[in-house]
Amino acid sequence: MRGTVAAVSSNGEYAFTKPNRDAITLLAGLGVEGDVHAGVTVRHRSRMAQDPTRPNLRQVHLIHEELFAEVGAEGFEVTPGDLGENVTTRGIDLLGLPVGTLLRLGDDAVLEVTGLRNPCRQIDTFRKGLLKRVAGRDADGNPVRKAGIMSIVKEGGTVRPGDTITVELPEGPHRPLDRV
């Protein structure tokens, strides 16, 4: 399974959106160099308030570009970096990957998928009504989260738009993604 990096984004300050960059540098065990969410322990404000010593399983946030077209058809303009992701992908079913999947980005970087992003109220602050498009329940009442996936950096490297993404599934049985 292969895809492409559509965009890369980072922000050194706490803000919902992240500006697009020409490149980002991934640091093994930490996240995106210079990004506010990089670190060995949790860096998201709500997680730090609960327990600042927990491991950071949310070092790098990825969203599939196809989501932007889906919500765009419903009248919501969303572009890379708008939802706070570091890597916008194209051509990969991110939400269908199991926990432990390795994503090889460009020549050197390797991410390990840890789980789903849990969409928050800030999405509605960004675009009123958007949260219901990226989070909800299916016909059976099960939670549906479409706001991307989270990962940790296993091997560092520079990532740029246009880089190839290669997917390596873990040995089975596969564990489906859950929020982290």
Side-chain angles (χ1 to χ4, degrees):
M1 207 179 325
R2 295 182 89 110
T4 305
V5 174
V8 294
S9 310
S10 67
N11 198 338
E13 299 178 13
Y14 282 105
F16 183 69
T17 61
K18 295 185 186 228
N20 294 157
R21 309 288 182 193
D22 293 331
I24 57 173
T25 301
L26 301 181
L27 304 172
L30 294 174
V32 178
E33 182 177 47
D35 192 82
V36 70
H37 294 114
V40 174
T41 56
V42 294
R43 305 300 303 153
H44 288 75
R45 289 178 179 171
S46 63
R47 305 295 164 97
M48 290 187 331
Q50 292 172 357
D51 181 358
T53 65
R54 293 178 69 187
N56 188 1
L57 301 178
R58 300 165 55 101
Q59 293 174 356
V60 180
H61 176 199
L62 299 95
I63 286 185
H64 52 295
E65 184 180 59
E66 294 82 359
L67 176 66
F68 304 154
E70 180 183 325
V71 298
E74 299 177 28
F76 296 95
E77 181 184 346
V78 181
T79 61
D82 282 351
L83 297 180
E85 76 276 11
N86 301 109
V87 179
T88 307
T89 67
R90 181 181 306 126
I92 297 174
D93 177 13
L94 294 178
L95 304 177
L97 299 174
V99 172
T101 297
L102 297 180
L103 301 173
R104 296 188 179 277
L105 291 82
D107 294 331
D108 302 311
V110 179
L111 299 176
E112 180 179 332
V113 175
T114 56
L116 293 168
R117 174 192 184 185
N118 193 30
C120 64
R121 289 184 210 132
Q122 291 182 31
I123 293 173
D124 262 354
T125 302
F126 172 70
R127 297 275 188 274
K128 187 156 182 63
L130 182 58
L131 181 59
K132 287 185 179 181
R133 303 302 186 268
V134 299
R137 301 220 172 252
D138 66 15
D140 296 325
N142 300 310
V144 174
R145 296 176 179 91
K146 298 182 188 179
I149 63 171
M150 306 307 285
S151 64
I152 58 172
V153 181
K154 298 299 280 183
E155 296 178 30
T158 302
V159 180
R160 294 176 176 81
D163 282 351
T164 298
I165 304 170
T166 304
V167 176
E168 294 180 16
L169 297 175
E171 291 188 28
H174 292 163
R175 195 171 54 146
L177 295 179
D178 197 3
R179 68 185 179 113
V180 292

